[in-house]
Amino acid sequence: MHVAIVGAGPAGSSAATFLARAGAKVTLLERAHFPRDKVCGDGLTPRSLWMLEELGLVARDAGPPAGGQAISRVYLASPGGVVVKAPMPAHVFGGRSAVVPRELLDQQLVQLATKAGATLREGVMVEGLALDEGGVTVSVRGGEPVRADVVLGCDGAPSVVRKALGAPDFPDEDAAFAVRVYYEGLSLSHPDAYAIFWEGELLPAYGWIFPLPNGRANVGVGLRTDRMRKAGLKLPELLDRFCAMPRASAELAGGQRVGRVRGHHLPFGTFARHLVWDRCLLLGDAAGFINPLTGEGIEFALESGKLAAETLVDAEGAGGFSRAHLAPYERRCSERFTHAFRQNGKLQRVFEHPRLIDNLMRSANRSQRVLDDLASVLLGEAPRVGPRLVAAVALGV
Ligand SMILES: Cc1cc2nc3c(=O)[nH]c(=O)nc-3n(C[C@H](O)[C@H](O)[C@H](O)COP(=O)(O)OP(=O)(O)OC[C@H]3O[C@@H](n4cnc5c(N)ncnc54)[C@H](O)[C@@H]3O)c2cc1C
């Protein structure tokens, strides 16, 4: 089978690697040239590290990917000043985490794909698709079209493939906007921790400081798109306000910004229902595989690459790439993450109320089991919320 993959981010490179290893002919079409930047918080959760191990990019007992900072703890600060400092939860994929600039991570991932046998074509802007009974034709700006048996839409948000297939845009309430900037010259109080801040004055936005090696950090804020529009907020200004608040400014004191503030959309898994067409699948952000509570999507992009590859190998064995042949992809994604996304979408409302966040953090400090539940939920691992977490939110017990 010949698979054309549009976009060589984590989803595209992961799918390309698994497919090439399974013997498929793979063409990766990427509009940029590597190394290229991608606006992100650069945080790799334990689930991302687990997927990087599956791909063979990092060894199980080795450090983070090249250029990254190992993360062993979380530092969560609530509006009322409750702070949770805890080790990364070992029960969630072994608890290994890291922060790696996407400029470095994505290059390593694409090299893995080409090493596995995928052909990378850089500087290729895909403009559309045409399906017929024999295959798919991918049109490319200023170049020859690419003919393949199947196309994987891994072109992020917004996605040309998604649009060409006629899938609806993400509604504002199922999407966020986030901005980030790099700092250098920092002496962070927790240089090995993901620091997340819910400031009462900035809610429902939240801010993060994710440490990088050599006194650098990725600093950003994010917010649901409908809330942003309703309040008429400009996120670069919100980032400035976050950086000037007492807790963040204490961390950032003495540091300088490097480069400019950049932002991007985040489509949420609460609206991830349009995944499968004849001869086409959507993966990663193009499908909306982002945890609506945390904005994390790298792990789901990587894992959707694995699930898509497994589905295509099975479909080839079953004799075709029709929508019916490819339908198991939807089931696989649902079992692994979209179900949890929908639940997290409901929980997102908790993180808009200062008192409820305070309750939850207070309770997580008192009870290891609440802390474990919170970690599972935040990492998109819990398919349902148990009574213990509900009591923690409602009553702080
Ligand atoms: C500010 C911000 C902070 C974030 N922080 C985190 C975090 O800390 N941790 C986390 O896990 N996730 C985070 N995310 C989400 C994460 O960035 C995405 O979920 C992830 O990048 C999705 O990977 P992907 O491969 O699906 O898409 P992308 O990484 O967007 O890759 C898509 C690729 O397709 C290419 N492409 C696009 N259009 C075309 C075209 N027409 N033709 C050819 N190529 C094309 C692009 O150049 C790109 O290389 C954050 C997002 C934002 C915006």
Side-chain angles (χ1 to χ4, degrees), residues 19-20 56 65 70 97 145 151 167 169 205 207 218 232 243 271 287 297 315 360 365 383 388 397:
L19 283 163
S97 293
V151 168
D169 287 342
N218 180 316
C243 293
F271 196 68
L360 186 55
N365 272 336
R388 197 164 46 217
V397 293

Side-chain angles (χ1 to χ4, degrees), residues 6-12 29-32 34 36 38-44 48 102 106 124-126 154-158 160 178-180 208 210 264-266 283-286 289-290 295-299 301:
V6 184
L29 304 168
E30 168 59 50
R31 69 179 173 194
F34 288 95
R36 63 105 181 85
K38 154 75 176 86
V39 183
C40 188
D42 303 330
L44 295 177
S48 291
R102 290 290 298 276
D106 289 19
V124 173
M125 171 69 92
V126 169
C154 304
D155 48 343
V160 166
V179 294
R180 67 97 168 103
W208 70 82
F210 288 174
H264 206 273
H265 292 285
L266 295 93
L283 285 73
D285 281 12
F289 292 156
I290 289 190
E296 279 152 357
I298 297 171
E299 65 253 57

Side-chain angles (χ1 to χ4, degrees), residues 200-211:
E201 213 183 286
L202 303 186
L203 286 178
Y206 67 92
W208 70 82
I209 299 178
F210 288 174

Side-chain angles (χ1 to χ4, degrees), residues 55-67:
L55 280 158
L57 188 76
V58 292
R60 205 151 295 260
D61 300 318

